[in-house]
Amino acid sequence: WAGTVCSDPPMLSISVRKERFSHHILLESGEFVVNLVGREQLQAADYCGVRSGRDTDKWKDTGLTPEKANVVIAQCPLYLACKTQQVIELGSHDLFIARIAGMGVREELLDEKGRIDLRRAGLTAYSHGVYYALGDAMAFFGYSVAAPEVRKRRMRELK
């Protein structure tokens, strides 16, 4: 489980079950990477979620390519490199709150102005046992109170 928790400084959280193979690695290293998964990596990501690194070599099994200390997945559209700031025991899971220390994006996802075009990424999301494709932008922050001409202009820019 992952989510944004702060924008300045940029921070996120992940929640990890204590018996997971990666749990002790996270505690010891104090660092982790969140690889955002595109449609092309979905089967490999699912496999990594249901198989333990205790029992198998996930890199070999999935054909994913490790980069940067074997935590960044070359095939994934984007990654966020994180440094743990706090660990909160919740029960079955621990919540790792981390500062985003770096990020990377595949070149083909950048538009002509150098901005990330997430529509090209084919990102996926997971909720309650089901994977979903993320797609078109629906609105922008503040659209509900924006003047009609601003709303129209901004929505055209998002298309």
Side-chain angles (χ1 to χ4, degrees):
W1 306 106
T4 304
V5 295
C6 188
S7 55
D8 188 15
M11 298 177 77
L12 60 76
S13 68
I14 60 170
S15 183
V16 180
R17 189 175 284 277
K18 293 175 184 176
E19 64 266 10
R20 295 283 187 199
F21 182 63
S22 57
H23 185 272
H24 82 276
I25 298 169
L26 291 167
L27 285 175
E28 290 174 14
S29 72
E31 298 179 337
F32 59 90
V33 171
V34 175
N35 290 281
L36 281 73
V37 176
R39 291 179 182 131
E40 296 169 4
Q41 300 83 43
L42 185 57
Q43 185 171 348
D46 180 72
Y47 180 87
C48 289
V50 297
R51 295 287 185 240
S52 174
R54 265 187 211 102
D55 306 321
T56 189
D57 180 343
K58 295 179 189 183
W59 297 114
K60 188 177 108 187
D61 295 350
T62 62
L64 294 173
T65 308
E67 290 184 347
K68 300 184 182 180
N70 290 340
V71 291
V72 172
I73 300 170
Q75 290 88 345
C76 286
L78 302 110
Y79 72 86
L80 303 169
C82 302
K83 293 191 182 289
T84 302
Q85 303 294 295
Q86 184 179 4
V87 180
I88 301 171
E89 289 191 48
L90 301 175
S92 62
H93 291 65
D94 280 348
L95 183 70
F96 292 78
I97 299 174
R99 181 177 45 83
I100 299 172
M103 58 103 40
V105 60
R106 288 198 329 232
E107 290 287 322
E108 65 267 21
L109 300 180
L110 300 175
D111 67 15
E112 58 281 345
K113 295 180 181 177
R115 294 180 300 201
I116 299 171
D117 183 349
L118 288 179
R119 290 174 295 192
R120 297 180 193 171
L123 294 178
T124 60
Y126 175 83
S127 178
H128 302 286
V130 179
Y131 298 99
Y132 296 92
L134 300 177
D136 296 332
M138 295 171 37
F140 58 92
F141 179 75
Y143 84 99
S144 64
V145 296
E149 63 276 4
V150 171
R151 190 179 304 163
K152 280 184 186 177
R153 178 181 51 78
R154 290 288 315 278
M155 289 307 295
R156 275 194 309 271
E157 291 171 358
L158 292 176
K159 300 285 179 200

